[in-house]
Every structure is written in C-alpha cells, then in structure tokens.
Amino acid sequence: MIEVKNIDNYIKKIAESIANEIKLKQENDQNLVLGLATGSTPIPLYDELVRLHEQENLSFYNVFTFNLDEYCGLDKSDPNSYQYFMDEKLFNRIDIPKENTHVPNGQVKSGIEVEYCKDYEQKINDLGGIDIQILGIGRSGHIGFNEPGSSVNSITRKVELHEITRKDASRDFNGIENVPTHAITMGMQTILSAKRIFFMAFGEAKREITKLAFTKEVTDNVPASHLQNHKQLTICTDFII
Ligand code: PGA
C-alpha cells in the first residue's frame, strides 16, 4: 500500500513502478504486459508516462497493452470510443509498436463475439498474462465493465451496461439515449489474474462505492469487492476508506 494521500504523488509512484518494471524487463530481454483503463481517472498517469518517455528516455518498445473494455457499436474513429481515447492519451504519444496495443473491438460482428472474446483472452495468456493492471471503479461498483452480478469466474465477454454507468457517461454522449447499451469487457477472472494491480479512485463521488468495495463483504453484487482477495493490490484514493 502506498502511504501517500496526494493524487500527484500516487501518479508519480505508479508511473515510476511501471517504468522500473519496463526497464527491468528490457534488461532481461522480456516483454511487459500492461492492462489499461480508460475514463478520467487514469489520464494524469498517461500524461506522466508520456513525460517519462519524452524527458527521461523511457521506451515502450517491449510493452504490450490490453485495455479493459470498449463500447459496442462505436467505430474506433468515434471520439467516445476507448480506442480513440487510448490513441489520443497514450499510444500516439509514446514509442509503443501499434501492433502491441489491444483494445477490444466494439464493432465485432454479432455471431462471432464469443470467439472474438476467447481470442482476446488467449492473446493475453499467450504473452504470459497481465503483469500490471491499472484499474478505476464505476459508481455501480464495476471494474472494467463487469457490472453488479458479474461472476468472479467470468472472462472477456459482451455485457449489458448498468443504468448508473450509462447515466455517468451521458454527458460525453450528449444524453443517456446515445450511450451504448452494451460493451465488451475483460472478465473478473482476467482482471484478478493480473500479477499486480494499481487501483485508483479519486473524488467524493467514488468514496461511497469504494468504501463498500473494500470494507464490506466480498460479493458479485459489488464486483470491485473481489479485489480484497488480490495478493498484490495497491489502493490509491484521495479519501479515507
Ligand atoms: P472514471 O471511470 O475514471 O471516468 O471515473 C472509472 C470507471 O468507470 O471505471
């Protein structure tokens, strides 16, 4: 657990841990597999990784990334798509080979979604699993888009979004009616298999659900509560839980 309560300090520490791990792998001719999140929470972290690249020569040539989720139905050129977000906030600003980056395809044809999701999962496993996972939390208690009721054994799959999640996204989409109803998400099992997890929740709006996730029972009704059982979890919040 990182013993600081200031967001900037958390960001610096997480970025430093990632950078150290990348460099260690480089020294041993190995790859690092990063699990990445979208939303407002990780933006400062991506800015700091870009700064390390630009000002401190951190290279991402040996890094593979897998994003947690993507809205169904959005083209990757849509500014609300997570592919667009990741390109803008991180991938286009560092030297990671584009073919090493993975964001679920929200436009995968119906009928082959299950196969597609299995393949996403397989790609992660073929690279030895996720070394470091970046995570936020939604007010529904979701991690990725694993909404309440998601099984701890779930893998990457198509899911229906919770009403709270769609409501929270409605500003970006100019109205809840424009927010996609479904998404593809890494599963609970996929996320919990990460060797190390950095969990971030900042701001008053996240306090209640974060408290529920970490101080009450572990239950599928609060998917983030399963993090209590993870062995290498760092919780970063700017409030007391
Ligand atoms: P946020 O989203 O970072 O935009 O608050 C987090 C999440 O829903 O997981």
Side-chain angles (χ1 to χ4, degrees):
M1 175 103 58
I2 294 175
E3 295 298 333
V4 282
K5 290 275 178 274
N6 173 288
I7 297 177
D8 288 347
N9 286 348
Y10 282 134
I11 296 300
K12 283 226 150 46
K13 295 263 184 194
I14 298 171
E16 193 180 290
S17 297
I18 293 173
N20 287 342
E21 204 58 31
I22 291 174
K23 286 186 258 184
L24 192 67
K25 296 279 188 182
Q26 286 171 355
E27 282 161 21
N28 292 295
D29 281 328
Q30 290 172 341
N31 297 315
L32 182 82
V33 183
L34 278 182
L36 298 178
T38 49
S40 55
T41 309
I43 291 176
L45 175 64
Y46 298 152
D47 287 341
E48 176 61 9
L49 290 174
V50 170
R51 193 195 66 77
L52 290 174
H53 170 63
E54 288 174 348
Q55 297 177 17
E56 297 188 24
N57 287 326
L58 177 65
S59 175
F60 291 78
Y61 73 82
N62 64 327
V63 176
F64 284 77
T65 67
F66 289 88
N67 264 78
L68 285 168
D69 44 23
E70 177 63 285
Y71 290 113
C72 284
L74 298 194
D75 189 81
K76 47 180 145 190
S77 63
D78 188 315
N80 277 320
S81 77
Y82 287 161
Q83 177 71 61
Y84 187 94
F85 176 100
M86 289 310 304
D87 287 341
E88 289 283 299
K89 305 289 183 211
L90 188 65
F91 301 152
N92 291 344
R93 301 165 72 198
I94 55 175
D95 65 340
I96 191 166
K98 263 295 163 68
E99 63 274 19
N100 289 9
T101 68
H102 304 85
V103 179
N105 178 3
Q107 288 198 310
V108 62
K109 289 199 187 74
S110 64
I112 61 159
E113 287 134 334
V114 173
E115 208 179 313
Y116 173 81
C117 291
K118 267 196 193 149
D119 188 54
Y120 196 79
E121 197 78 21
Q122 192 60 48
K123 283 195 175 108
I124 296 173
N125 291 332
D126 288 348
L127 285 162
I130 293 169
D131 293 303
I132 300 178
Q133 176 69 53
I134 302 303
L135 267 191
I137 185 171
R139 288 193 309 129
S140 65
H142 72 206
I143 48 176
F145 274 139
N146 292 287
E147 301 289 15
S150 295
S151 159
V152 72
N153 299 316
S154 57
I155 61 164
T156 304
R157 68 208 186 286
K158 183 174 177 177
V159 293
E160 188 170 357
L161 296 176
H162 194 278
E163 203 55 21
I164 297 178
T165 301
R166 294 186 66 235
K167 197 167 155 229
D168 283 350
S170 61
R171 211 170 53 166
D172 292 337
F173 284 85
N174 281 319
I176 194 165
E177 65 281 8
N178 302 320
V179 181
T181 54
H182 290 78
I184 290 179
T185 184
M186 263 187 206
M188 291 299 295
Q189 191 188 93
T190 328
I191 295 169
L192 294 169
S193 299
K195 293 168 195 121
R196 181 163 191 194
I197 297 179
F198 288 101
F199 171 91
M200 293 185 280
F202 302 134
E204 268 306 301
K206 297 290 173 71
R207 185 203 290 263
E208 201 182 313
I209 190 64
T210 304
K211 224 175 169 156
L212 198 59
F214 289 106
T215 64
K216 298 283 188 292
E217 59 163 344
V218 174
T219 162
D220 291 352
N221 292 330
V222 184
S225 66
H226 286 289
L227 292 169
Q228 289 183 39
N229 293 326
H230 196 276
K231 301 278 182 291
Q232 284 285 343
L233 173 74
T234 302
I235 303 172
C236 308
T237 63
D238 62 343
F239 45 77
I240 311 283
I241 53 172

